[in-house]
Amino acid sequence: MRPIWTGAIGFGLVNIPVKLFSATQGSELDLDMLDKKDLSNIRFMRVNEKTGKEVASANIVKGYMLNNKYVVLDNKDFASANAVKTKIIEISDFVKETEINSIYYETPYYLVPEKSGVRAYALLKEALLKTGKVGVSTFVMRNKEHLAILRATENIMVLNQLRFSEEIRNTKDLELPTSAIKPGELKMAISLINQLSGNFNIASYKDNYTQQLLKLIKAKAKGNKPAATHLKVVHSKAKDLMEQLKASLYVKTKKAS
């Protein structure tokens, strides 16, 4: 893997040189966009809106509209905005990971130490594991400041990018209906949850849709025409919520036996 960022973790007065690697990869199929007429690849071009001509990447710059005029920025300008932040993952606080709502989580990255930072990296990782804490930090990547937490696992530290609070939409903009809950229904719902409960194992969950889509593609390549499928919403026979819950418990028990 190639690092997508290099810099250091700022831990008090200690700087730990690290490399940042993407921790995730897509599971979807790599589909190309084609012209329906002759199956030629569709190519996207960056064009000048005035001339209609394609502009080479080397001639594309970034600018900000200020007082009806563009101010053009280059890489030096972005780095000069805050030279320290562009190279430091600065830890400001340590908190319990359980205090952070999952809605704020965005993108995970692996942090690998440079040779000169191996000892300090190992020390911080072990200290985080012992305390059960995560480090709240900020860092700059791709000309944008990000909020993140630094979390330790047994073999590596993970930097998990977070969304800022202003990036989360307020639920007050939604129309949320309310309903009274009957004690018997709540008891039955809890029983169903307990019956379906178990230990979480991420490896047991697969991207079945992608697998089925690839199977269909291979069948079409051999000239087979996939059977048409018609999806429809199937409503429960029992309209009473309690009866639906009882039926759910019965189905689970029947499968287990």
Side-chain angles (χ1 to χ4, degrees), residues 11-67:
F11 173 44
L13 298 178
V14 179
N15 279 356
I16 308 171
V18 291
K19 295 178 181 178
L20 192 72
F21 295 84
S22 177
T24 59
Q25 58 187 9
S27 63
E28 67 277 4
L29 298 179
D30 186 15
L31 301 176
D32 293 327
M33 297 184 69
L34 309 172
D35 188 325
K36 186 178 179 180
K37 295 178 180 178
D38 60 1
L39 301 186
S40 296
N41 276 280
I42 302 297
R43 189 164 61 93
F44 292 93
M45 299 186 299
R46 294 181 172 91
V47 298
N48 184 311
E49 68 173 9
K50 293 181 179 178
T51 65
K53 294 182 179 179
E54 186 175 2
V55 181
S57 296
N59 294 327
I60 297 176
V61 296
K62 292 183 178 180
Y64 182 80
M65 179 69 79
L66 185 66
N67 298 327

Side-chain angles (χ1 to χ4, degrees), residues 8 18-19 22 52 66 78 82 95 98 102 108 112 115 128 144 146-147 153 171-172 179 181-182 205-206:
V18 291
K19 295 178 181 178
S22 177
L66 185 66
F78 290 114
N82 195 319
V95 301
T98 53
S102 62
V112 177
K115 288 184 179 180
L128 290 173
K144 186 181 185 301
H146 302 279
L147 180 66
T153 67
T171 56
K172 70 179 183 181
S179 177
I181 299 173
K182 296 179 180 179
Y205 300 91
K206 306 295 182 183

Side-chain angles (χ1 to χ4, degrees), residues 196-207:
L196 296 173
S197 294
N199 295 323
F200 179 71
N201 179 13
I202 189 66
S204 65
Y205 300 91
K206 306 295 182 183
D207 184 357

Side-chain angles (χ1 to χ4, degrees), residues 1 17 20 33 51 79 116 124 129 140 158 174 183 188 196 242:
M1 290 191 284
L20 192 72
M33 297 184 69
T51 65
S116 60
L124 177 58
L129 286 173
V140 174
V158 176
L174 301 173
M188 190 68 70
L196 296 173
M242 180 64 82

